[in-house]
Amino acid sequence: MRTRITRGYRRAVASVAALGLIAAMAACGSSDDDEGSGSSGAVTATGTDDGSELTLWTRAPLELQAKALVDAYNKSHKNQVKLTIVPNDDYVAKVGAAAGSGDLPDLFAADIVYVPNWTKAGLFADMTERIGLLPYADQINKGHIDAGTYEDKKYVLPFVLDLSVMFWNKELYKEAGLDPEKGPTTLDEFKTQALAVQKLNKPDTYGTFFGGNCGGCNVFTWFPMVWASGEEVMDAEGTKSLLDGAAAQKVYSTWRELQDAGAVDPGSKDETGATWVAAFQEGKIGVMPYPATLLKTAAETVDVGVTGIPGVSGGQSTFVGGDGIGISKDSKLSDQAWNFLAWLTSEDAQVGVLAANDSTVARTDLADNQYSAKDPRIALINKVAGEPQSKTPYAVNFQQAFNAPGSPWVTLFRNQVYGDAGALANDNSAITGVLGQ
């Protein structure tokens, strides 16, 4: 049975317009005051647990993790969180409408690529002082903290991390004469291993797969190849594309060579992200970049090897994606809402709930725990998340430039793999044009 992917890898066209709508509607209600009427006065590291009812919204792709976290919190606290799960494609519009009418919930999660836009629009309350009181504040995932920082104020904590890593099929590696315990450590090794699987000439089996018409898929999995090579995909302000650099060109040529060799599953060309991981789960793909959160699902049908996404000459990286979470501008229970968020970053939540359910922890000091110790693959995923080259890219116009259907990024990588590779300079400039709007 094929797993459908409707998370951050596939964005609805309506989201682009909705992001602008949020900014316009939220402006009049924006506030930097994080002391709602439910505050007890002095800000504390733990907030207030007085039996208040809190509301929390999240996207459907995070339903399993969100329910597990909320259930654990509700069982151990006087406060009670009422969770609302929203279909992924409806989430941005729902948040936009609520922001305009002043009806946002106490807490809401946001796909990390939307966070810079939503913090700038004033949808979240300032949590700078609160976060600073956490004794392990400097151990919390920096990528998510940075994405939720605007004008030196912090608005967001990690909710659920989603990382990109390299998966390979150990059985196919054995058949191809490859070491099943060693995945690729460079882009050339990735190509060589994919070609080796292709040479098996097994029916409906291919060396690799990618989302050939999915901007988010290739942000998630190709950007780390550039980062692992020591280069950047954008400037520090997120207004200029650097996707014509030497490392990026090596990424494109690697995939084009695999395509020309017939080692890329033909289904890749029209893949928009909905069934992006299905062929691997069916045992028909040798090696491909993959969402770490789906390890448990993939391992039900495939003997999976895991490593970080390699660069041109080595190194490893990951796109630290997933969702951030903050207190909304409309909450009247900010101190109680902070109680939930402070607990969310605690060892009880990070290890006792997330790690126990095979999710990546958001604190580097908890990466080694009793659950990761049982599975070296999970330990590796946690390690990669803390690598210096593992990042969460920042750009206010990220959605329009990269993830939206028909974005200039989609045009660029499709030209590089399937079309006019000589269009790189113009295609890269087109991305810059959108980023700088």
Side-chain angles (χ1 to χ4, degrees), residues 137-160:
D138 60 349
Q139 302 296 323
I140 299 173
N141 183 267
K142 189 173 183 296
H144 277 220
I145 295 291
D146 288 349
T149 299
Y150 179 65
E151 295 183 340
D152 297 324
K153 294 182 179 180
K154 298 174 182 178
Y155 295 90
V156 166
L157 286 170
F159 187 38
V160 177

Side-chain angles (χ1 to χ4, degrees), residues 138-267:
D138 60 349
Q139 302 296 323
I140 299 173
N141 183 267
K142 189 173 183 296
H144 277 220
I145 295 291
D146 288 349
T149 299
Y150 179 65
E151 295 183 340
D152 297 324
K153 294 182 179 180
K154 298 174 182 178
Y155 295 90
V156 166
L157 286 170
F159 187 38
V160 177
L161 298 187
D162 193 6
L163 311 176
S164 50
V165 290
M166 193 71 77
F167 277 17
W168 71 90
N169 183 318
K170 291 185 178 182
E171 290 301 321
L172 288 177
Y173 268 41
K174 289 178 187 175
E175 292 180 42
L178 299 169
D179 186 338
E181 301 305 321
K182 292 184 180 179
T185 61
T186 66
L187 285 180
D188 281 340
E189 285 186 6
F190 164 63
K191 179 176 70 175
T192 298
Q193 291 173 12
L195 289 172
V197 172
Q198 190 62 36
K199 287 176 183 176
L200 292 173
N201 291 319
K202 295 187 69 169
D204 300 319
T205 300
Y206 296 90
T208 192
F209 193 102
F210 80 110
N213 200 24
C214 173
C217 300
N218 299 323
V219 158
F220 193 59
T221 57
W222 288 18
F223 281 15
M225 296 178 182
V226 177
W227 296 329
S229 305
E231 297 186 16
E232 299 294 338
V233 298
M234 293 181 290
D235 64 0
E237 293 73 31
T239 57
K240 180 181 179 181
S241 174
L242 304 176
L243 286 162
D244 58 351
Q249 290 187 49
K250 175 65 174 181
V251 173
Y252 309 144
S253 64
T254 298
W255 283 95
R256 190 169 190 119
E257 289 166 16
L258 287 167
Q259 168 63 23
D260 291 345
V264 178
D265 188 319

